[in-house]
Amino acid sequence: MTKEPTRVLIVGGGCVGLYTALRLRRKLRRELARGTVEVVVVSPEPYMTYQPFLPEAAAGNLSPRHVVVPLRRVLRGCRFIPGELVSLDREARTAEIRTPATNGSEEPPLTLSWDELVLGVGSISRTLPVPGLAEYGIGFKTVEEAIGLRNHVLEQLDIASSTRDPRVRDAALTFVFVGGGYAGVEALAELEDMARYACRYYPGISPEETKWILVEATGRILPEVGLRMGEYAVRELRGRNIDIRLDTRLESVTDRVAVLSDGSRYPTRTLVWTAGVKPNPVLAACDLPLDGRGRVRCTPELLVEGEEHIWSAGDAAAVPDLSADDPAPGGGLPNCAPNAQHAVRQGRRLADNLAARLRGRAPTPYCHAHVGSVASLGLHKGVARVYGRRLKGFPAWFMHRTYHLSRVPTLNRKARVVAEWSLSALFKREVVSLGSLEHPRAEFELAAGGGEPGREER
């Protein structure tokens, strides 16, 4: 009787899922070829988004297809299933997966058995109960949101250039970003750079008329690059007439009016929310040990606490930071920061440990000292703190691009990114809005007699 292959089920196609699968494919090449091991990847999207490149995609420096990695193509030898985790049965070692075929139909979820399970479900945007946020807020975590935001900003310039109502014009030219971390600062800086360039094609609009506002609840921005570089970033952005509001919160955004905790009010048609992330809520349905933030508690070997065959890493996992010098506030070791630097390395270590387990060897603890951080402040501008050294301006921007180019998976993707950067340096920016892509059937519905096309108000 033929023995069933050992199935490694990887849930999530982000940094952890992709790098774990890639590493396993190399480590278990012989087992995969013989059919004694099977690697199955489950992800709701057929691609991995390299999120550090989202601001450049929003600004038009990179094409959307170059900031994503197609899972089916790069994971040849692995089985890919589009779907989302619904629940786990740890005793039976099965997982229920909601696939596109089960959405809107009576077909039950797909049940997959597993011998080793990797949870790399990542995180989602962390929102607060701010009045009007759900109706008017725009996120910035996916490539779809990044391109939608680019189209939206250019559409606001179109609105401002074609209206005679000063209130509509002022609201269209006011852009409010909430959150002073990487996503908020880089998105604002890149889009302000793009809009400033685009204004040359709108004779009735000068760059000085646009209002760019960054709202941060704490007293600093970009804490990852250190206090001095964060202060430099504030000076650099304020020098571009960007209004930085520190120690300020968004109170409401009803009726397209952003009300801040300092009492100021800004009519705006653009409210971008980048105020942090939280672990994927599906973890709560898995009956696993969670920390106070909803992350799965893990050992330094990246095994879930109390489990022998369930692994986790990345934003969804609370992994002790063995390189930390200072204890956590409640005692013990602090956890690794939920960033791409740790997620990529944890994915590789997890794959090494899983392969070692399958071959009867002991896993190795994950330990990585944070080497530093880099952030872009627009074209040719940036801040960095690497191995204790501080960089700013063009050197920091160049390091930002070089570092993230080295982290993008596959040689194919690296070559495409370099080619597009090279072309962008030789030719002018493209500043056309393709907002109609978000409603591709609108024109046909109108032609077919459906009345006004079903397009959302922007």
Side-chain angles (χ1 to χ4, degrees):
M1 183 175 180
T2 304
K3 182 182 178 182
E4 290 292 325
T6 300
R7 175 175 289 170
V8 178
L9 177 60
I10 301 174
V11 180
C15 276
V16 171
L18 176 62
Y19 279 96
T20 299
L22 284 173
R23 190 83 157 195
L24 283 175
R25 197 179 64 168
R26 290 195 292 269
K27 288 281 184 177
L28 303 175
R29 184 179 295 109
R30 289 176 297 177
E31 290 85 345
L32 288 169
R34 294 170 183 166
T36 58
V37 172
E38 179 187 26
V39 177
V40 180
V41 179
V42 174
S43 174
E45 303 294 346
Y47 53 81
M48 184 274 267
T49 302
Y50 190 71
Q51 293 187 354
F53 279 159
L54 288 184
E56 292 213 48
N61 298 331
L62 285 176
S63 298
R65 66 185 184 277
H66 294 160
V67 303
V68 298
V69 181
L71 297 178
R72 295 182 187 274
R73 178 176 179 180
V74 302
L75 296 180
R76 285 172 294 185
C78 303
R79 179 184 173 194
F80 174 76
I81 298 177
E84 297 178 277
L85 177 66
V86 177
S87 63
L88 287 178
D89 187 332
R90 293 181 296 163
E91 293 185 3
R93 293 195 194 178
T94 59
E96 283 197 351
I97 307 298
R98 182 188 299 115
T99 67
T102 62
N103 292 331
S105 70
E106 296 181 359
E107 185 173 337
L110 175 68
T111 300
L112 286 177
S113 62
W114 48 268
D115 297 286
E116 301 287 341
L117 174 67
V118 178
L119 288 175
V121 293
S123 58
I124 62 173
S125 296
R126 177 176 62 88
T127 59
L128 298 175
V130 176
L133 179 61
E135 292 80 8
Y136 301 113
I138 302 172
F140 196 78
K141 201 172 188 306
T142 67
V143 66
E144 294 85 358
E145 289 175 329
I147 303 308
L149 181 57
R150 167 185 168 81
N151 292 331
H152 175 83
V153 169
L154 292 174
E155 285 178 1
Q156 300 316 300
L157 298 182
D158 288 331
I159 290 171
S161 67
S162 59
T163 183
R164 296 182 180 180
D165 189 331
R167 292 175 298 179
V168 173
R169 180 184 176 93
D170 182 61
L173 295 179
T174 300
F175 306 93
V176 180
F177 287 68
V178 181
Y182 280 129
V185 172
E186 291 190 342
L188 180 147
E190 292 282 0
L191 285 165
E192 189 274 340
D193 223 5
M194 180 201 72
R196 181 178 294 273
Y197 176 86
C199 283
R200 67 182 63 187
Y201 300 106
Y202 294 84
I205 302 176
S206 67
E208 289 70 27
E209 288 183 87
T210 61
K211 296 178 184 176
W212 296 83
I213 303 165
L214 179 64
V215 180
E216 169 54 39
T218 67
R220 57 192 290 194
I221 66 173
L222 296 175
E224 298 87 354
V225 299
L227 180 61
R228 287 178 57 182
M229 288 295 94
E231 292 174 343
Y232 167 80
V234 170
R235 293 195 300 271
E236 165 68 24
L237 295 175
R238 284 176 172 166
R240 290 157 57 178
N241 292 323
I242 296 174
D243 189 354
I244 309 293
R245 299 295 182 94
L246 302 177
D247 297 311
T248 306
R249 300 180 307 278
L250 176 70
E251 297 288 345
S252 70
V253 65
T254 53
D255 299 325
R256 293 190 183 273
V257 177
V259 180
L260 308 184
S261 60
D262 59 8
S264 55
R265 300 168 60 89
Y266 295 96
T268 179
R269 297 174 61 88
T270 308
L271 190 287
V272 184
W273 182 268
T274 63
V277 296
K278 63 180 180 181
N280 195 310
V282 73
L283 295 175
C286 293
D287 192 27
L288 295 172
L290 306 180
D291 70 353
R293 297 184 179 181
R295 297 179 295 178
V296 180
R297 292 203 302 267
C298 295
T299 67
E301 292 78 18
L302 304 174
L303 275 165
V304 174
E305 288 185 0
E307 301 291 335
E308 295 184 0
H309 301 283
I310 303 180
W311 312 72
S312 189
D315 292 357
V319 180
D321 188 354
L322 299 183
S323 67
D325 296 325
D326 301 323
L333 288 172
N335 292 320
C336 296
N339 56 38
Q341 187 175 147
H342 280 299
V344 171
R345 289 173 170 82
Q346 286 174 1
R348 290 170 175 165
R349 171 54 57 193
L350 193 159
D352 290 344
N353 286 347
L354 205 160
R357 168 67 66 82
L358 293 177
R359 291 170 176 170
R361 298 197 298 268
T364 303
Y366 171 78
C367 181
H368 168 69
H370 190 64
V371 299
S373 300
V374 291
S376 170
L377 300 179
L379 194 61
H380 302 155
K381 299 174 283 288
V383 290
R385 188 168 181 248
V386 182
Y387 293 114
R389 298 190 61 182
R390 302 179 181 89
L391 298 174
K392 57 187 180 181
F394 182 84
W397 172 83
F398 183 77
M399 179 170 287
H400 174 270
R401 280 199 164 183
T402 303
Y403 172 76
H404 286 301
L405 179 66
S406 70
R407 299 295 97 187
V408 173
T410 77
L411 180 61
N412 178 294
R413 198 60 41 187
K414 296 179 196 292
R416 290 174 183 271
V417 170
V418 170
E420 192 153 24
W421 278 343
S422 301
L423 291 173
S424 297
L426 296 174
F427 301 101
K428 295 180 180 180
R429 288 178 188 253
E430 295 289 347
V431 293
V432 63
S433 168
L434 297 176
S436 57
L437 288 177
E438 299 168 35
H439 312 277
R441 296 190 66 249
E443 186 68 23
F444 182 78
E445 288 175 356
L446 181 62
E452 291 295 321
R455 180 169 176 172
E456 297 177 5
E457 181 187 358
R458 305 293 290 179

